[in-house]
Amino acid sequence: MNSKQLISRDIEIFYDKASEETRLDKGMGVFEFERIKSLIEKYIFTSSLTIIDVGGGTGKYSEWLAKKGHKVHLVEPVSKHIKIAENRANKLKNKFSVHMGESRKLEFPNNYADLIILHGPLYHLQEKEDRYSAICEAKRVLKNNGIILGFAINYTASTLVGLLNGLIHKKSFFEMCKEELITGKHSPPNDFPWLLAEAYYHKPEQFKDEFINQGLTYLNTYAVEGIAWLDKDFFANMLDSKKQKILIELIQITENDSYLLPFSPHMMIAVQKRYNYEK
């Protein structure tokens, strides 16, 4: 199936121009990769799980999980990413499988996976019905007592960035922020082509409700970057071992603080499919 039928044309164009492959190798990406691995590890209880990495990009997380001995399936709608992921998988002894597809229609049987990671789908689906479809599909494919880890962008993300670097005073940027704060919908203005393609930015409570409304059991929500990234010298200080230790400790002690959660650009939710809810 052609990827242009799976996702919006604007998202396809965005990822064709951007480098998802190198993003995790520089700047905030280095921290993001290590931090997300540590969050995923909180829900890896045995050495050989069946894991589906939905919206897994070029396969960096799938590779990491496969190297740990898990049976991993990557699902991704961007053809550019699929090719890179296939090359990555082919170099491994314990290969992960790569599937062209997207979150609303997973080509896996019922009760198949121990762990499902929804990494990009929930912020690339602007309509509530589409996000519900993605969550329903993940629930269907999940085994009883299995875990879903879902990632979202906070509704405050652009506004905080705009306040920190002065972009909030540019009219088109502020209009975009207002739309995100009021409706959650993110549509980058023409004069900011480097911003993320069309997306949906969640309020933390609403993010939780979207999963609970599908009969999934809520476990916890985690701030990915937390409030530590508000440090004005964040990048430089993350390269200083002494200062990095302080910032990481700050993230850890506040990662589940619901009052501070809106100050983190990204968040991760953990939910479980409990037997009682199985129809």
Side-chain angles (χ1 to χ4, degrees):
M1 187 184 288
N2 190 301
S3 62
K4 290 175 184 59
Q5 296 174 298
L6 297 178
I7 55 170
S8 121
R9 177 73 181 145
D10 287 343
I11 295 171
E12 177 86 14
I13 291 167
F14 173 79
Y15 281 113
D16 275 343
K17 289 180 180 174
S19 177
E20 184 66 12
E21 174 62 6
T22 58
R23 186 180 65 80
L24 296 176
D25 296 332
K26 58 192 177 187
M28 194 75 160
V30 177
F31 164 72
E32 181 188 324
F33 188 46
E34 294 306 316
R35 171 67 176 153
I36 288 173
K37 285 195 294 185
S38 74
L39 289 174
I40 292 170
E41 277 184 323
K42 291 176 187 285
Y43 293 92
I44 294 178
F45 306 117
T46 62
S47 57
S48 59
L49 297 176
T50 298
I51 301 172
I52 305 176
D53 183 8
V54 186
T58 61
K60 289 202 170 183
Y61 292 102
S62 289
E63 176 185 34
W64 165 68
L65 290 163
K67 282 180 174 177
K68 292 170 80 69
H70 303 292
K71 182 181 178 184
V72 184
H73 303 282
L74 179 144
V75 178
E76 170 62 32
V78 179
S79 50
K80 174 185 171 183
H81 295 169
I82 288 281
K83 291 178 187 131
I84 298 168
E86 285 173 341
N87 288 336
R88 173 168 271 126
N90 287 335
K91 293 173 185 170
L92 299 179
K93 189 175 177 184
N94 180 35
K95 293 178 173 54
F96 59 90
S97 68
V98 180
H99 308 260
M100 172 72 86
E102 59 93 38
S103 58
R104 291 165 293 180
K105 193 175 188 308
L106 298 174
E107 303 293 334
F108 298 95
N110 296 351
N111 308 305
Y112 177 76
D114 299 293
L115 176 68
I116 296 177
I117 301 168
L118 296 175
H119 219 135
L122 299 177
Y123 51 81
H124 277 315
L125 294 171
Q126 283 192 327
E127 301 305 322
K128 183 169 71 173
E129 294 74 20
D130 289 328
R131 295 193 300 277
Y132 276 12
S133 294
I135 294 167
C136 273
E137 266 293 84
K139 183 188 176 187
R140 176 187 68 77
V141 171
L142 199 63
K143 291 177 184 174
N144 290 324
N145 298 316
I147 303 283
I148 299 171
L149 300 179
F151 289 82
I153 300 174
N154 240 310
Y155 76 119
T156 56
S158 300
T159 304
L160 287 170
V161 168
L163 285 167
L164 288 168
N165 61 22
L167 285 173
I168 202 77
H169 300 290
K170 303 216 178 267
K171 187 175 186 300
S172 63
F173 193 92
F174 181 50
E175 290 300 320
M176 176 190 74
C177 290
K178 283 200 296 185
E179 188 68 20
E180 291 164 10
L181 291 169
I182 296 165
T183 72
K185 289 189 179 179
H186 161 80
S187 299
N190 293 333
D191 48 340
F192 289 96
W194 47 269
L195 289 172
L196 182 68
E198 64 183 60
Y200 189 82
Y201 291 4
H202 281 83
K203 291 183 177 178
E205 276 302 307
Q206 173 208 5
F207 187 42
K208 178 179 172 181
D209 287 345
E210 288 186 0
F211 284 88
I212 291 173
N213 290 343
Q214 301 304 317
L216 290 153
T217 301
Y218 175 73
L219 300 176
N220 218 330
T221 306
Y222 301 81
V224 174
E225 301 87 354
I227 58 169
W229 78 286
L230 295 176
D231 177 353
K232 64 183 176 64
D233 297 315
F234 179 82
F235 295 111
N237 290 340
M238 284 299 279
L239 296 172
D240 178 311
S241 58
K242 193 175 175 184
K243 290 178 179 178
Q244 182 191 80
K245 192 178 174 187
I246 288 169
L247 291 173
I248 288 174
E249 188 175 346
L250 174 62
I251 292 163
Q252 288 169 342
I253 64 169
T254 58
E255 68 182 10
N256 302 126
D257 186 325
S258 61
Y259 294 102
L260 297 178
L261 196 52
F263 292 99
S264 180
H266 297 87
M267 51 191 164
M268 182 190 89
I269 194 169
V271 296
Q272 189 171 31
K273 178 179 174 179
R274 294 268 171 87
Y275 182 78
N276 298 348
Y277 289 113
E278 185 67 9
K279 290 178 182 176

